Amino acid sequence: MKKEFMRKAIALSIDNVKNNLGGPFGAVVVKDGHIIATGTNCVTSHNDPTAHAEVIAIRNACKELNSFQLDGCEIYTSCEPCPMCLGAIYWARPKAVYYGNTKADAAKIDFDDQFIYNELDLPLQERKLKMQQLLGDEAIQAFELWQKNTEKTEY
């Protein structure tokens, strides 16, 4: 069964290229042996740098399940997830991820995320993207309210 789910993710990635909707990436979310959601890379067609196949599939699956987590789900993706997608996957909490192409395969066709991994290893002041804290003493109010809120939904 796992191979069939992966074949669906691969088919989505191929169709996405043929239809010129975005990059060569597809993903499916499976629960209890059934595909509950799919996603393809829509970065260029949606003008959204976060519209990666895995993120779209996670959004669709969470809507289908009416949940902000993918408990008991598996994600099948045509390529090893990029750092953003991997972060989203960890937050979604599926039980497993299966992928087709590797990040090295993606780098060979100019989808190389190594620069992000390299940046994350650097101290903030050495990164290419300027990052500076601003109004931290005011921003902390939201965290303090969250901490005191007895009706919050933790995740």
Side-chain angles (χ1 to χ4, degrees), residues 21-22 40-52 56 59:
L21 296 172
T40 58
N41 181 287
C42 299
V43 169
T44 57
S45 59
H46 291 181
N47 293 321
D48 180 353
T50 68
H52 289 201
I56 299 290
R59 289 173 183 165

Side-chain angles (χ1 to χ4, degrees), residues 4-72:
E4 290 308 309
F5 297 138
M6 181 57 70
R7 285 189 180 106
K8 176 64 175 175
I10 292 167
L12 288 166
S13 69
I14 291 169
D15 288 345
N16 210 49
V17 172
K18 288 180 178 178
N19 294 314
N20 202 29
L21 296 172
F25 306 99
V28 300
V29 178
V30 173
K31 185 169 178 100
D32 300 327
H34 300 284
I35 294 174
I36 60 164
T38 65
T40 58
N41 181 287
C42 299
V43 169
T44 57
S45 59
H46 291 181
N47 293 321
D48 180 353
T50 68
H52 289 201
E54 297 91 336
V55 172
I56 299 290
I58 288 168
R59 289 173 183 165
N60 291 339
C62 286
K63 186 179 285 188
E64 178 69 24
L65 294 172
N66 195 30
S67 175
F68 53 84
Q69 292 185 180
L70 298 179
D71 296 323

Side-chain angles (χ1 to χ4, degrees), residues 67-154:
S67 175
F68 53 84
Q69 292 185 180
L70 298 179
D71 296 323
C73 294
E74 299 172 327
I75 297 176
Y76 294 79
T77 179
S78 63
C79 186
E80 186 175 355
C82 75
M84 177 187 70
C85 292
L86 190 56
I89 289 167
Y90 271 99
W91 283 117
R93 295 177 176 90
K95 66 180 181 179
V97 177
Y98 302 94
Y99 61 90
N101 294 309
T102 67
K103 63 182 179 181
D105 296 328
K108 289 177 188 173
I109 61 164
D110 296 326
F111 288 96
D112 191 352
D113 300 317
Q114 190 57 47
F115 76 97
I116 297 173
Y117 292 110
N118 294 344
E119 284 283 299
L120 292 174
D121 285 337
L122 295 173
L124 288 178
Q125 65 274 16
E126 293 180 28
R127 294 182 185 174
K128 289 180 177 67
L129 179 62
K130 179 182 177 177
M131 295 186 70
Q132 179 182 346
Q133 186 177 22
L134 186 63
L135 299 178
D137 56 333
E138 293 179 30
I140 199 71
Q141 293 174 47
F143 284 8
E144 291 167 348
L145 284 171
W146 172 261
Q147 209 169 20
K148 293 175 188 173
N149 184 348
T150 58
E151 297 177 26
K152 65 187 169 210
T153 301
E154 296 194 26

